[in-house]
Amino acid sequence: MSQLQPTVTPKLREPKLGFNDYAERLNGRAAMVGFLATLAIEYLTGNGVLTWLGLT
């Protein structure tokens, strides 16, 4: 006897945790903001970020 297969796939909301498109997009945007902030700090102070943080 063969089993019946469903004809419609349920539309489930995508989870907001783990590796998914939403999390990757958010992480990429946060990285771009951080990179631009780093460039702005270097441009405005004339020193690198390591110098600004007191590491060199």
PDB file of all heavy atoms in Angstrom, residues 1-2 4 9 11-12 15-17 19 21 23-28 35-37 39 45 47-50 52 55-56:
ATOM      1  N   MET A   1       0.822  -1.169   0.000  1.00  0.00           N
ATOM      2  CA  MET A   1       0.000   0.000   0.000  1.00  0.00           C
ATOM      3  C   MET A   1       0.881   1.253   0.000  1.00  0.00           C
ATOM      4  O   MET A   1       1.802   1.366   0.793  1.00  0.00           O
ATOM      5  CB  MET A   1      -0.852   0.007   1.261  1.00  0.00           C
ATOM      6  CG  MET A   1      -2.221   0.560   1.025  1.00  0.00           C
ATOM      7  SD  MET A   1      -3.146   0.625   2.544  1.00  0.00           S
ATOM      8  CE  MET A   1      -4.508  -0.325   2.013  1.00  0.00           C
ATOM      9  N   SER A   2       0.649   2.202  -0.881  1.00  0.00           N
ATOM     10  CA  SER A   2       1.452   3.414  -0.933  1.00  0.00           C
ATOM     11  C   SER A   2       0.841   4.494  -0.051  1.00  0.00           C
ATOM     12  O   SER A   2      -0.380   4.548   0.131  1.00  0.00           O
ATOM     13  CB  SER A   2       1.561   3.916  -2.365  1.00  0.00           C
ATOM     14  OG  SER A   2       0.284   4.288  -2.831  1.00  0.00           O
ATOM     15  N   LEU A   4      -0.110   8.370   0.985  1.00  0.00           N
ATOM     16  CA  LEU A   4      -0.490   9.598   0.311  1.00  0.00           C
ATOM     17  C   LEU A   4       0.509  10.702   0.637  1.00  0.00           C
ATOM     18  O   LEU A   4       0.964  10.836   1.774  1.00  0.00           O
ATOM     19  CB  LEU A   4      -1.888  10.031   0.738  1.00  0.00           C
ATOM     20  CG  LEU A   4      -3.039   9.094   0.351  1.00  0.00           C
ATOM     21  CD1 LEU A   4      -4.333   9.619   0.944  1.00  0.00           C
ATOM     22  CD2 LEU A   4      -3.144   8.995  -1.153  1.00  0.00           C
ATOM     23  N   THR A   9       2.501  22.643   0.399  1.00  0.00           N
ATOM     24  CA  THR A   9       3.558  22.855   1.374  1.00  0.00           C
ATOM     25  C   THR A   9       3.151  24.010   2.277  1.00  0.00           C
ATOM     26  O   THR A   9       2.795  25.080   1.781  1.00  0.00           O
ATOM     27  CB  THR A   9       4.882  23.212   0.662  1.00  0.00           C
ATOM     28  OG1 THR A   9       5.208  22.167  -0.237  1.00  0.00           O
ATOM     29  CG2 THR A   9       6.005  23.388   1.671  1.00  0.00           C
ATOM     30  N   LYS A  11       3.270  27.291   4.549  1.00  0.00           N
ATOM     31  CA  LYS A  11       4.119  28.476   4.547  1.00  0.00           C
ATOM     32  C   LYS A  11       4.473  28.812   5.987  1.00  0.00           C
ATOM     33  O   LYS A  11       3.652  29.342   6.730  1.00  0.00           O
ATOM     34  CB  LYS A  11       3.403  29.646   3.881  1.00  0.00           C
ATOM     35  CG  LYS A  11       3.168  29.422   2.413  1.00  0.00           C
ATOM     36  CD  LYS A  11       2.506  30.610   1.783  1.00  0.00           C
ATOM     37  CE  LYS A  11       2.259  30.326   0.305  1.00  0.00           C
ATOM     38  NZ  LYS A  11       1.613  31.457  -0.364  1.00  0.00           N
ATOM     39  N   LEU A  12       5.697  28.484   6.375  1.00  0.00           N
ATOM     40  CA  LEU A  12       6.157  28.723   7.731  1.00  0.00           C
ATOM     41  C   LEU A  12       7.039  29.957   7.757  1.00  0.00           C
ATOM     42  O   LEU A  12       7.765  30.237   6.805  1.00  0.00           O
ATOM     43  CB  LEU A  12       6.948  27.521   8.245  1.00  0.00           C
ATOM     44  CG  LEU A  12       6.210  26.191   8.256  1.00  0.00           C
ATOM     45  CD1 LEU A  12       7.157  25.064   8.645  1.00  0.00           C
ATOM     46  CD2 LEU A  12       5.041  26.248   9.223  1.00  0.00           C
ATOM     47  N   PRO A  15      12.835  31.252  10.820  1.00  0.00           N
ATOM     48  CA  PRO A  15      13.289  31.540  12.184  1.00  0.00           C
ATOM     49  C   PRO A  15      14.280  32.700  12.193  1.00  0.00           C
ATOM     50  O   PRO A  15      15.014  32.913  11.235  1.00  0.00           O
ATOM     51  CB  PRO A  15      13.957  30.236  12.620  1.00  0.00           C
ATOM     52  CG  PRO A  15      14.337  29.560  11.356  1.00  0.00           C
ATOM     53  CD  PRO A  15      13.308  29.956  10.352  1.00  0.00           C
ATOM     54  N   LYS A  16      14.310  33.446  13.290  1.00  0.00           N
ATOM     55  CA  LYS A  16      15.218  34.584  13.416  1.00  0.00           C
ATOM     56  C   LYS A  16      16.518  34.204  14.108  1.00  0.00           C
ATOM     57  O   LYS A  16      17.326  35.059  14.406  1.00  0.00           O
ATOM     58  CB  LYS A  16      14.537  35.714  14.199  1.00  0.00           C
ATOM     59  CG  LYS A  16      13.284  36.228  13.535  1.00  0.00           C
ATOM     60  CD  LYS A  16      13.588  36.880  12.205  1.00  0.00           C
ATOM     61  CE  LYS A  16      12.337  37.456  11.600  1.00  0.00           C
ATOM     62  NZ  LYS A  16      12.446  37.758  10.211  1.00  0.00           N
ATOM     63  N   LEU A  17      16.744  32.942  14.384  1.00  0.00           N
ATOM     64  CA  LEU A  17      17.968  32.483  15.025  1.00  0.00           C
ATOM     65  C   LEU A  17      18.728  31.556  14.093  1.00  0.00           C
ATOM     66  O   LEU A  17      18.146  30.901  13.240  1.00  0.00           O
ATOM     67  CB  LEU A  17      17.649  31.731  16.321  1.00  0.00           C
ATOM     68  CG  LEU A  17      16.931  32.543  17.398  1.00  0.00           C
ATOM     69  CD1 LEU A  17      16.507  31.631  18.533  1.00  0.00           C
ATOM     70  CD2 LEU A  17      17.812  33.641  17.907  1.00  0.00           C
ATOM     71  N   PHE A  19      21.810  30.360  11.284  1.00  0.00           N
ATOM     72  CA  PHE A  19      22.295  30.808   9.986  1.00  0.00           C
ATOM     73  C   PHE A  19      21.131  30.858   9.005  1.00  0.00           C
ATOM     74  O   PHE A  19      20.708  29.852   8.472  1.00  0.00           O
ATOM     75  CB  PHE A  19      23.371  29.864   9.451  1.00  0.00           C
ATOM     76  CG  PHE A  19      24.623  29.865  10.275  1.00  0.00           C
ATOM     77  CD1 PHE A  19      24.913  28.814  11.116  1.00  0.00           C
ATOM     78  CD2 PHE A  19      25.505  30.928  10.204  1.00  0.00           C
ATOM     79  CE1 PHE A  19      26.068  28.812  11.873  1.00  0.00           C
ATOM     80  CE2 PHE A  19      26.655  30.936  10.956  1.00  0.00           C
ATOM     81  CZ  PHE A  19      26.941  29.875  11.797  1.00  0.00           C
ATOM     82  N   ASP A  21      19.009  33.823   6.071  1.00  0.00           N
ATOM     83  CA  ASP A  21      19.218  35.025   5.269  1.00  0.00           C
ATOM     84  C   ASP A  21      19.103  36.297   6.100  1.00  0.00           C
ATOM     85  O   ASP A  21      19.879  37.237   5.911  1.00  0.00           O
ATOM     86  CB  ASP A  21      18.223  35.070   4.111  1.00  0.00           C
ATOM     87  CG  ASP A  21      18.516  34.014   3.066  1.00  0.00           C
ATOM     88  OD1 ASP A  21      19.683  33.573   2.992  1.00  0.00           O
ATOM     89  OD2 ASP A  21      17.584  33.645   2.324  1.00  0.00           O
ATOM     90  N   ALA A  23      19.701  36.795   9.354  1.00  0.00           N
ATOM     91  CA  ALA A  23      20.856  36.973  10.233  1.00  0.00           C
ATOM     92  C   ALA A  23      22.097  37.354   9.432  1.00  0.00           C
ATOM     93  O   ALA A  23      22.876  38.211   9.853  1.00  0.00           O
ATOM     94  CB  ALA A  23      21.104  35.690  11.029  1.00  0.00           C
ATOM     95  N   GLU A  24      22.287  36.733   8.279  1.00  0.00           N
ATOM     96  CA  GLU A  24      23.458  37.039   7.465  1.00  0.00           C
ATOM     97  C   GLU A  24      23.393  38.457   6.913  1.00  0.00           C
ATOM     98  O   GLU A  24      24.397  39.162   6.850  1.00  0.00           O
ATOM     99  CB  GLU A  24      23.578  36.032   6.321  1.00  0.00           C
ATOM    100  CG  GLU A  24      23.858  34.615   6.786  1.00  0.00           C
ATOM    101  CD  GLU A  24      25.165  34.498   7.546  1.00  0.00           C
ATOM    102  OE1 GLU A  24      26.157  35.136   7.138  1.00  0.00           O
ATOM    103  OE2 GLU A  24      25.192  33.779   8.556  1.00  0.00           O
ATOM    104  N   ARG A  25      22.213  38.898   6.516  1.00  0.00           N
ATOM    105  CA  ARG A  25      22.051  40.263   6.004  1.00  0.00           C
ATOM    106  C   ARG A  25      22.313  41.278   7.115  1.00  0.00           C
ATOM    107  O   ARG A  25      23.015  42.282   6.913  1.00  0.00           O
ATOM    108  CB  ARG A  25      20.645  40.434   5.442  1.00  0.00           C
ATOM    109  CG  ARG A  25      20.500  41.615   4.541  1.00  0.00           C
ATOM    110  CD  ARG A  25      19.134  41.675   3.878  1.00  0.00           C
ATOM    111  NE  ARG A  25      18.716  40.394   3.316  1.00  0.00           N
ATOM    112  CZ  ARG A  25      17.617  39.735   3.667  1.00  0.00           C
ATOM    113  NH1 ARG A  25      16.800  40.233   4.549  1.00  0.00           N
ATOM    114  NH2 ARG A  25      17.311  38.583   3.117  1.00  0.00           N
ATOM    115  N   LEU A  26      21.790  41.029   8.305  1.00  0.00           N
ATOM    116  CA  LEU A  26      21.999  41.926   9.435  1.00  0.00           C
ATOM    117  C   LEU A  26      23.474  41.987   9.825  1.00  0.00           C
ATOM    118  O   LEU A  26      24.019  43.063  10.078  1.00  0.00           O
ATOM    119  CB  LEU A  26      21.151  41.466  10.624  1.00  0.00           C
ATOM    120  CG  LEU A  26      21.181  42.357  11.854  1.00  0.00           C
ATOM    121  CD1 LEU A  26      20.608  43.733  11.537  1.00  0.00           C
ATOM    122  CD2 LEU A  26      20.396  41.704  12.971  1.00  0.00           C
ATOM    123  N   ASN A  27      24.144  40.849   9.846  1.00  0.00           N
ATOM    124  CA  ASN A  27      25.557  40.795  10.186  1.00  0.00           C
ATOM    125  C   ASN A  27      26.391  41.545   9.151  1.00  0.00           C
ATOM    126  O   ASN A  27      27.331  42.259   9.500  1.00  0.00           O
ATOM    127  CB  ASN A  27      26.009  39.337  10.282  1.00  0.00           C
ATOM    128  CG  ASN A  27      27.419  39.224  10.800  1.00  0.00           C
ATOM    129  OD1 ASN A  27      27.873  40.050  11.570  1.00  0.00           O
ATOM    130  ND2 ASN A  27      28.120  38.193  10.358  1.00  0.00           N
ATOM    131  N   GLY A  28      26.059  41.395   7.889  1.00  0.00           N
ATOM    132  CA  GLY A  28      26.784  42.101   6.835  1.00  0.00           C
ATOM    133  C   GLY A  28      26.629  43.605   6.952  1.00  0.00           C
ATOM    134  O   GLY A  28      27.594  44.359   6.774  1.00  0.00           O
ATOM    135  N   PHE A  35      33.106  48.997   9.557  1.00  0.00           N
ATOM    136  CA  PHE A  35      34.226  49.312   8.676  1.00  0.00           C
ATOM    137  C   PHE A  35      34.240  50.800   8.345  1.00  0.00           C
ATOM    138  O   PHE A  35      35.294  51.443   8.375  1.00  0.00           O
ATOM    139  CB  PHE A  35      34.129  48.478   7.397  1.00  0.00           C
ATOM    140  CG  PHE A  35      35.282  48.698   6.464  1.00  0.00           C
ATOM    141  CD1 PHE A  35      36.532  48.206   6.756  1.00  0.00           C
ATOM    142  CD2 PHE A  35      35.094  49.411   5.294  1.00  0.00           C
ATOM    143  CE1 PHE A  35      37.596  48.422   5.897  1.00  0.00           C
ATOM    144  CE2 PHE A  35      36.151  49.633   4.424  1.00  0.00           C
ATOM    145  CZ  PHE A  35      37.403  49.134   4.733  1.00  0.00           C
ATOM    146  N   LEU A  36      33.072  51.378   8.050  1.00  0.00           N
ATOM    147  CA  LEU A  36      33.008  52.808   7.752  1.00  0.00           C
ATOM    148  C   LEU A  36      33.370  53.645   8.987  1.00  0.00           C
ATOM    149  O   LEU A  36      34.023  54.684   8.858  1.00  0.00           O
ATOM    150  CB  LEU A  36      31.627  53.180   7.236  1.00  0.00           C
ATOM    151  CG  LEU A  36      31.311  52.682   5.829  1.00  0.00           C
ATOM    152  CD1 LEU A  36      29.876  53.043   5.453  1.00  0.00           C
ATOM    153  CD2 LEU A  36      32.276  53.252   4.823  1.00  0.00           C
ATOM    154  N   ALA A  37      32.971  53.195  10.164  1.00  0.00           N
ATOM    155  CA  ALA A  37      33.348  53.906  11.381  1.00  0.00           C
ATOM    156  C   ALA A  37      34.859  53.868  11.586  1.00  0.00           C
ATOM    157  O   ALA A  37      35.469  54.867  11.990  1.00  0.00           O
ATOM    158  CB  ALA A  37      32.629  53.294  12.586  1.00  0.00           C
ATOM    159  N   LEU A  39      37.142  53.641   9.197  1.00  0.00           N
ATOM    160  CA  LEU A  39      37.722  54.577   8.234  1.00  0.00           C
ATOM    161  C   LEU A  39      37.542  56.028   8.688  1.00  0.00           C
ATOM    162  O   LEU A  39      38.451  56.845   8.537  1.00  0.00           O
ATOM    163  CB  LEU A  39      37.089  54.380   6.857  1.00  0.00           C
ATOM    164  CG  LEU A  39      37.465  53.100   6.125  1.00  0.00           C
ATOM    165  CD1 LEU A  39      36.706  53.013   4.805  1.00  0.00           C
ATOM    166  CD2 LEU A  39      38.953  53.017   5.893  1.00  0.00           C
ATOM    167  N   THR A  45      41.222  61.431  12.934  1.00  0.00           N
ATOM    168  CA  THR A  45      42.293  61.552  13.927  1.00  0.00           C
ATOM    169  C   THR A  45      43.675  61.542  13.298  1.00  0.00           C
ATOM    170  O   THR A  45      44.632  61.981  13.932  1.00  0.00           O
ATOM    171  CB  THR A  45      42.218  60.406  14.956  1.00  0.00           C
ATOM    172  OG1 THR A  45      42.435  59.162  14.301  1.00  0.00           O
ATOM    173  CG2 THR A  45      40.895  60.408  15.683  1.00  0.00           C
ATOM    174  N   ASN A  47      45.362  58.963  12.867  1.00  0.00           N
ATOM    175  CA  ASN A  47      46.021  57.780  13.427  1.00  0.00           C
ATOM    176  C   ASN A  47      45.214  56.551  13.099  1.00  0.00           C
ATOM    177  O   ASN A  47      44.011  56.628  12.853  1.00  0.00           O
ATOM    178  CB  ASN A  47      46.147  57.887  14.939  1.00  0.00           C
ATOM    179  CG  ASN A  47      47.020  59.029  15.362  1.00  0.00           C
ATOM    180  OD1 ASN A  47      48.025  59.312  14.724  1.00  0.00           O
ATOM    181  ND2 ASN A  47      46.642  59.701  16.441  1.00  0.00           N
ATOM    182  N   GLY A  48      45.877  55.411  13.146  1.00  0.00           N
ATOM    183  CA  GLY A  48      45.181  54.161  12.937  1.00  0.00           C
ATOM    184  C   GLY A  48      44.354  53.784  14.164  1.00  0.00           C
ATOM    185  O   GLY A  48      44.494  54.378  15.240  1.00  0.00           O
ATOM    186  N   VAL A  49      43.510  52.798  13.999  1.00  0.00           N
ATOM    187  CA  VAL A  49      42.646  52.371  15.102  1.00  0.00           C
ATOM    188  C   VAL A  49      43.466  51.781  16.244  1.00  0.00           C
ATOM    189  O   VAL A  49      43.142  52.000  17.414  1.00  0.00           O
ATOM    190  CB  VAL A  49      41.594  51.356  14.596  1.00  0.00           C
ATOM    191  CG1 VAL A  49      40.799  50.778  15.741  1.00  0.00           C
ATOM    192  CG2 VAL A  49      40.674  52.015  13.607  1.00  0.00           C
ATOM    193  N   LEU A  50      44.543  51.072  15.938  1.00  0.00           N
ATOM    194  CA  LEU A  50      45.362  50.499  16.995  1.00  0.00           C
ATOM    195  C   LEU A  50      45.995  51.590  17.853  1.00  0.00           C
ATOM    196  O   LEU A  50      46.076  51.466  19.075  1.00  0.00           O
ATOM    197  CB  LEU A  50      46.433  49.584  16.401  1.00  0.00           C
ATOM    198  CG  LEU A  50      45.913  48.317  15.732  1.00  0.00           C
ATOM    199  CD1 LEU A  50      47.078  47.529  15.135  1.00  0.00           C
ATOM    200  CD2 LEU A  50      45.132  47.463  16.694  1.00  0.00           C
ATOM    201  N   TRP A  52      44.710  54.620  18.211  1.00  0.00           N
ATOM    202  CA  TRP A  52      43.591  55.234  18.901  1.00  0.00           C
ATOM    203  C   TRP A  52      43.184  54.423  20.131  1.00  0.00           C
ATOM    204  O   TRP A  52      42.801  54.970  21.161  1.00  0.00           O
ATOM    205  CB  TRP A  52      42.430  55.366  17.924  1.00  0.00           C
ATOM    206  CG  TRP A  52      41.227  56.044  18.452  1.00  0.00           C
ATOM    207  CD1 TRP A  52      41.109  57.370  18.741  1.00  0.00           C
ATOM    208  CD2 TRP A  52      39.977  55.456  18.781  1.00  0.00           C
ATOM    209  NE1 TRP A  52      39.845  57.625  19.218  1.00  0.00           N
ATOM    210  CE2 TRP A  52      39.128  56.473  19.256  1.00  0.00           C
ATOM    211  CE3 TRP A  52      39.485  54.152  18.708  1.00  0.00           C
ATOM    212  CZ2 TRP A  52      37.838  56.239  19.670  1.00  0.00           C
ATOM    213  CZ3 TRP A  52      38.184  53.930  19.118  1.00  0.00           C
ATOM    214  CH2 TRP A  52      37.376  54.949  19.585  1.00  0.00           C
ATOM    215  N   LEU A  55      47.108  50.598  21.572  1.00  0.00           N
ATOM    216  CA  LEU A  55      47.775  49.304  21.464  1.00  0.00           C
ATOM    217  C   LEU A  55      49.141  49.387  20.787  1.00  0.00           C
ATOM    218  O   LEU A  55      49.863  48.407  20.748  1.00  0.00           O
ATOM    219  CB  LEU A  55      46.886  48.314  20.713  1.00  0.00           C
ATOM    220  CG  LEU A  55      45.545  48.006  21.389  1.00  0.00           C
ATOM    221  CD1 LEU A  55      44.709  47.109  20.511  1.00  0.00           C
ATOM    222  CD2 LEU A  55      45.778  47.365  22.752  1.00  0.00           C
ATOM    223  N   THR A  56      49.505  50.551  20.255  1.00  0.00           N
ATOM    224  CA  THR A  56      50.836  50.683  19.643  1.00  0.00           C
ATOM    225  C   THR A  56      51.555  51.877  20.193  1.00  0.00           C
ATOM    226  O   THR A  56      51.008  52.784  20.734  1.00  0.00           O
ATOM    227  CB  THR A  56      50.755  50.836  18.109  1.00  0.00           C
ATOM    228  OG1 THR A  56      49.965  51.963  17.803  1.00  0.00           O
ATOM    229  CG2 THR A  56      50.197  49.601  17.482  1.00  0.00           C
TER     230      THR A  56
END
